[in-house]
């Protein structure tokens, strides 16, 4: 099956017309390859943890899902799984493709969640610490195994505030990619900084890793902790302690 027809039906893609068809690995007719080569040409990094939503147009995701379905069908064939007669394996290739694009890697293809900020600059502005607990589902980029855990995001309120659910939306948008926990911690800190303008903040993540539980070392109760601290969270021992104490209180309220 060729996807040429699908690509021709796709909306106009400015910038793709000069993709060099003769380039190594470029498969004519694949929208995914046209996008990939455009990113290469423009020096845009597209690692598993990078957001590439700027390079997608409306309707592209559906085409990319169809192209990935074809690729997953080939994987199932190579694994010698009878996807034609096994009722449980029929449609699995498409389910996998949809799951990658819409769920487990959705944060690569979707733009940042809208986090409208409200001013916090009146005389009785909130000046305290705010700690939000966000449940995370991520995936390690090495093994494509689930990473499951919680992030505790702490800030000292700056000149603007965002809605409480936005902290979790931002954290989940960062998590729904192929990541390393260390990078994820940095990504969440950077995006929260961008959305709130806060320069004093901390992000603590604790998570279990499928790649340690389901394969390799098979350690079923291991837990990985990472912490990123900025501004007062890093330099002021009192602030750091308040953040860590808040995390402990949150964990008593909800252990995992
Ligand atoms: Zn891994």
């Amino acid at each position: 099956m060729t996807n040429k027809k699908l690509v021709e039906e796709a909306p106009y893609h400015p910038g793709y017309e000069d993709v060099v068809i003769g380039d190594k690995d470029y498969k004519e007719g694949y929208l995914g390859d046209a996008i990939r080569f455009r990113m290469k040409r423009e020096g845009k990094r597209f690692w598993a943890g990078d957001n590439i939503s700027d390079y997608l147009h409306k309707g592209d995701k559906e085409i990319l899902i169809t192209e990935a379905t074809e690729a997953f069908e080939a994987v199932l064939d190579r694994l010698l799984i009878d996807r034609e007669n096994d009722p449980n394996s029929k449609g699995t290739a498409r389910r996998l493709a949809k799951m990658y694009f819409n769920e487990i890697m959705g944060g690569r293809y979707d733009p940042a969640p809208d986090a409208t900020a409200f001013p916090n600059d009146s005389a009785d502005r909130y000046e305290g610490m705010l700690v939000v607990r966000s449940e995370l589902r991520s995936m390690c980029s090495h093994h494509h195994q689930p990473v499951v855990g919680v992030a505790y995001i702490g800030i000292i309120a700056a000149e603007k505030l965002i809605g409480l659910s936005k902290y979790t939306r931002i954290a989940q948008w960062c998590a729904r990619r192929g990541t390393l926990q260390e990078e994820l911690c940095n990504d969440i800190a950077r995006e929260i900084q961008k959305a709130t303008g806060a320069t004093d903040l901390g992000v603590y993540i604790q998570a279990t890793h499928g790649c340690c539980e389901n394969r390799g070392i098979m350690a079923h109760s291991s837990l990985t902790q990472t912490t990123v601290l900025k501004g007062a969270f890093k330099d002021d021992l009192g602030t750091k302690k308040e953040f860590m104490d808040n995390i402990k209180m949150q964990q008593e309220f909800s252990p995992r």
Side-chain angles (χ1 to χ4, degrees):
M1 180 188 134
T2 171
N3 289 308
K4 205 160 194 171
K5 192 168 161 281
L6 281 170
V7 175
E8 277 162 7
E9 283 168 2
Y12 173 64
H13 288 81
Y16 296 156
E17 57 284 324
D18 59 334
V19 165
V20 184
I21 303 290
D23 272 343
K24 191 177 165 288
D25 296 335
Y26 178 82
K27 287 193 188 65
E28 194 178 349
Y30 280 83
L31 175 62
D33 274 350
I35 295 172
R36 198 158 58 86
F37 275 78
R38 184 179 165 203
M39 292 191 291
K40 275 188 176 183
R41 204 176 56 241
E42 294 179 5
K44 158 73 183 163
R45 204 178 77 164
F46 54 103
W47 294 3
D50 293 330
N51 181 277
I52 56 165
S53 58
D54 282 349
Y55 285 77
L56 299 192
H57 295 73
K58 203 167 169 281
D60 282 359
K61 235 191 184 187
E62 272 314 306
I63 298 167
L64 294 170
I65 286 171
T66 301
E67 292 180 356
T69 299
E70 200 183 310
F72 278 122
E73 282 169 358
V75 171
L76 293 170
D77 290 347
R78 298 295 89 79
L79 291 171
L80 303 174
I81 292 170
D82 184 354
R83 62 183 172 85
E84 275 140 17
N85 297 300
D86 173 0
N88 293 321
S89 301
K90 270 186 195 172
T92 294
R94 185 159 176 83
R95 276 190 289 275
L96 280 167
K98 282 171 75 175
M99 180 178 74
Y100 268 83
F101 277 95
N102 295 330
E103 285 142 359
I104 58 179
M105 281 211 176
R108 300 190 72 230
Y109 310 105
D110 297 335
D114 172 43
T116 313
F118 307 100
N120 181 43
D121 52 8
S122 62
D124 62 346
R125 63 187 291 267
Y126 179 71
E127 291 177 318
M129 184 181 291
L130 181 85
V131 180
V132 176
R133 178 182 190 277
S134 301
E135 286 169 356
L136 293 184
R137 284 277 183 283
S138 190
M139 192 176 80
C140 83
S141 26
H142 289 144
H143 304 95
H144 288 205
Q145 282 288 300
V147 174
V148 179
V150 246
Y152 294 92
I153 302 163
I155 65 162
I156 306 284
E159 305 268 286
K160 49 188 186 172
L161 292 174
I162 57 171
L164 291 180
S165 67
K166 303 301 182 195
Y167 293 92
T168 301
R169 286 200 193 286
I170 291 170
Q172 290 181 346
W173 175 68
C174 293
R176 286 167 175 254
R177 305 175 193 186
T179 54
L180 290 180
Q181 189 176 323
E182 299 89 326
E183 275 173 11
L184 178 58
C185 218
N186 273 333
D187 290 348
I188 294 174
R190 189 186 56 246
E191 294 300 329
I192 295 292
Q193 204 160 13
K194 246 192 247 173
T196 61
T199 48
D200 302 315
L201 77 156
V203 178
Y204 164 82
I205 299 179
Q206 61 176 46
T208 57
H209 289 246
C211 60
C212 297
E213 293 185 340
N214 307 329
R215 54 161 296 288
I217 195 161
M218 303 269 190
H220 66 271
S221 67
S222 70
L223 188 69
T224 305
Q225 300 171 297
T226 44
T227 315
V228 170
L229 302 170
K230 308 261 186 203
F233 282 68
K234 188 176 167 188
D235 304 326
D236 179 60
L237 281 181
T239 307
K240 186 176 176 177
K241 186 174 182 314
E242 186 183 342
F243 180 49
M244 292 303 170
D245 287 349
N246 272 318
I247 291 173
K248 266 183 224 146
M249 281 192 274
Q250 292 243 20
Q251 287 176 337
E252 278 166 28
F253 173 73
S254 179
R256 272 292 269 279

